[in-house]
Amino acid sequence: MSLQVIPVPIKKEVQKGDDLVGLFVSAFKDIQDGDIIVIAQKVISKQEGRQVELAQVIPSMLSVGLASEYNRDPKLIEVILSEANRIVRLESGIIITETKHGFVCANSGVDESNLKPGFATMLPQNPDKSASDFAQGIMEKSHKKVAVIISDTFGRPFREGQTNVAIGVFGILPIENYEGKKDTHGRILRVTAIAQTDELCGAAELVMKKTANCPFAVIRNYSFESSSGTISQIIRSKQTDLFR
Amino acid sequence: MSLQVIPVPIKKEVQKGDDLVGLFVSAFKDIQDGDIIVIAQKVISKQEGRQVELAQVIPSMLSVGLASEYNRDPKLIEVILSEANRIVRLESGIIITETKHGFVCANSGVDESNLKPGFATMLPQNPDKSASDFAQGIMEKSHKKVAVIISDTFGRPFREGQTNVAIGVFGILPIENYEGKKDTHGRILRVTAIAQTDELCGAAELVMKKTANCPFAVIRNYSFESSSGTISQIIRSKQTDLFR
């Protein structure tokens, strides 16, 4: 059976406090059991008020110093650092941090695109909760069982370009474990753990970027074990990460 | 319009010299203009004879030393090193190399799964050419214009699990460039380059892993600029890679 990835555009620009569930169900009438809804981080951040007016930010000495060295905005650097556990790499004005959630990404996920000038969004504070709240709302309205993934666009080492990855999940495990499963020759498989929610986010991105104002995608016909996963399962531990 | 990802299983275990184009067109009759065919690296390597019997390998002193330190097979280590430009990380028996193509991955992509015991496959020597040859064959038989991506499963820093990524392309650019494009507020977009062929490989993997003996997937309704890309465009240059 073929997998379907359906873009769900909306007409409204999302504001703080908006009813995202209502916006989704108005735009997509045909929700079915087993559907996976992928949501762009940006609309979650806007809806949750995770947005800052840079003019209101008072940068620290550190932020002023870094900004002057790399010709960047000290107020934006301040927001980036305030969202970080630590700086992972700092070179040529590129700031790679570990966010408070444990994600390693550029600028702590702080982002000025698709916003009024002078504003920046931060990642949701608890993206698993954002996913769960949205899923509960959908399931109450539709009486269908769905999984929800919050997605953001991250760069990566070694390879050019960005891909969409999961930053919050509800009802699906981030990693599908093949451990102990045998291959066609009866040997234990080398690849034991597929980052299925990251691949689902990548698939969603393929339709979202081609459609104007499209913060949602629905993925249908993907069979998965319904499970109370948390995104922390995808964060590589210090012990197994050779690139910290 | 929704994106479709269609698994294409085959009945035969691929051997050196097999007619992959013939196998594909027997298994999938409905090829259309604009379809993207994703092929698992493993069948390309088998078909091209990129397979080695470990008993025939004579390990170097270096391979013997590394194998003894990490309790691994010196013959397998020899194959891994012979496929590498350099070792990127070596820790707890995990060998991350840069392959001769420039990919950074575990074990130079050398893999023992889905093979007779005692054998290992290596990555295709020129995966772009593998993609191009396959595409030419399909286009000759079907008179439809297709793109082809060769896909392999790589781990990555920071995040647990593996995802499928592109290692060879024909007829599609690895990176879709949004540079200079404006967002909904007229600002230049922060995300300027989407690794579309990696996301397409991830989408393909979602159906391939759920289907027995499924080395192919067809992706339909993805609009892209037909272009003579090469996979080298996705290899991050030393200058912009902070994690070498």
Side-chain angles (χ1 to χ4, degrees), chain A residues 47-188:
Chain A
Q47 193 274 341
E48 294 180 355
R50 293 280 293 155
Q51 186 164 325
V52 64
E53 187 177 358
L54 293 172
Q56 308 294 325
V57 175
I58 299 165
S60 67
M61 291 285 284
L62 175 60
S63 299
V64 170
L66 286 177
S68 121
E69 193 172 339
Y70 294 116
N71 195 26
R72 293 190 58 176
D73 175 0
K75 291 167 183 285
L76 187 64
I77 302 278
E78 180 64 29
V79 180
I80 292 168
L81 295 185
S82 70
E83 292 291 307
N85 273 341
R86 64 185 183 96
I87 295 176
V88 178
R89 289 286 189 285
L90 180 60
E91 217 176 292
S92 322
I94 298 166
I95 306 177
I96 312 287
T97 59
E98 180 186 301
T99 70
K100 300 216 161 142
H101 329 78
F103 306 128
V104 176
C105 61
N107 302 323
S108 306
V110 172
D111 181 14
E112 297 176 283
S113 68
N114 287 306
L115 293 172
K116 278 182 288 186
F119 287 81
T121 51
M122 297 156 290
L123 296 185
Q125 253 163 338
N126 184 346
D128 280 343
K129 184 173 185 303
S130 310
S132 171
D133 289 350
F134 184 84
Q136 302 303 341
I138 294 292
M139 292 192 284
E140 261 172 43
K141 286 214 175 180
S142 67
H143 305 287
K144 305 289 182 186
K145 190 170 183 187
V146 298
V148 171
I149 311 173
I150 316 288
S151 170
D152 198 8
T153 311
F154 283 3
R156 64 262 171 92
F158 318 139
R159 295 174 76 85
E160 292 284 352
Q162 291 96 25
T163 60
N164 267 35
V165 296
I167 64 164
V169 295
F170 174 84
I172 183 168
L173 286 173
I175 308 281
E176 181 171 41
N177 218 318
Y178 281 85
E179 214 152 1
K181 290 192 187 163
K182 301 264 171 85
D183 69 15
T184 49
H185 287 269
R187 303 174 62 145
I188 300 298

Side-chain angles (χ1 to χ4, degrees), chain A residues 1-7 13 41 46 88-92 94-96 102-107 109-119 152-167 175-176 178 183-185 187-203 205-207 209-210 213 219 222-225 231 233-237 239-244, chain B residues 1-7 13 41 46 88-92 94-96 102-107 109-119 152-167 175-176 178 183-185 187-203 205-207 209-210 213 219 222-225 231 233-237 239-244:
Chain A
M1 186 139 60
S2 83
L3 187 84
Q4 266 187 288
V5 190
I6 309 158
E13 177 145 343
Q41 157 272 326
K46 284 178 174 177
V88 178
R89 289 286 189 285
L90 180 60
E91 217 176 292
S92 322
I94 298 166
I95 306 177
I96 312 287
F103 306 128
V104 176
C105 61
N107 302 323
V110 172
D111 181 14
E112 297 176 283
S113 68
N114 287 306
L115 293 172
K116 278 182 288 186
F119 287 81
D152 198 8
T153 311
F154 283 3
R156 64 262 171 92
F158 318 139
R159 295 174 76 85
E160 292 284 352
Q162 291 96 25
T163 60
N164 267 35
V165 296
I167 64 164
I175 308 281
E176 181 171 41
Y178 281 85
D183 69 15
T184 49
H185 287 269
R187 303 174 62 145
I188 300 298
L189 283 168
R190 175 186 67 109
V191 172
T192 53
I194 291 290
Q196 63 181 355
T197 55
D198 285 354
E199 293 188 329
L200 288 160
C201 287
E205 202 276 332
L206 292 168
V207 304
K209 73 168 170 219
K210 302 285 182 184
N213 301 312
I219 299 180
Y222 181 67
S223 69
F224 62 99
E225 205 180 324
I231 198 64
Q233 293 158 340
I234 216 165
I235 294 169
R236 205 176 263 285
S237 70
Q239 288 74 36
T240 66
D241 199 331
L242 310 184
F243 295 92
R244 287 186 159 245
Chain B
M1 186 138 59
S2 84
L3 187 84
Q4 267 188 287
V5 189
I6 308 158
E13 177 146 344
Q41 158 271 325
K46 284 179 173 175
V88 178
R89 290 285 189 287
L90 179 61
E91 218 175 291
S92 322
I94 298 167
I95 307 177
I96 312 286
F103 306 129
V104 176
C105 62
N107 302 325
V110 173
D111 181 14
E112 296 176 282
S113 68
N114 287 307
L115 293 173
K116 278 182 287 186
F119 287 81
D152 197 8
T153 311
F154 284 4
R156 62 265 170 92
F158 317 141
R159 297 174 76 85
E160 292 284 353
Q162 291 97 24
T163 61
N164 267 32
V165 296
I167 64 163
I175 308 280
E176 183 172 39
Y178 283 83
D183 69 15
T184 50
H185 287 270
R187 302 174 62 146
I188 300 299
L189 283 168
R190 174 186 68 109
V191 172
T192 53
I194 292 290
Q196 63 182 354
T197 55
D198 285 354
E199 293 188 329
L200 288 160
C201 287
E205 201 277 331
L206 292 167
V207 305
K209 75 167 169 222
K210 301 285 182 187
N213 300 313
I219 300 181
Y222 182 67
S223 67
F224 62 99
E225 205 181 321
I231 199 63
Q233 292 158 342
I234 217 165
I235 294 169
R236 205 175 263 287
S237 69
Q239 289 74 38
T240 66
D241 198 331
L242 310 184
F243 294 92
R244 287 188 157 241

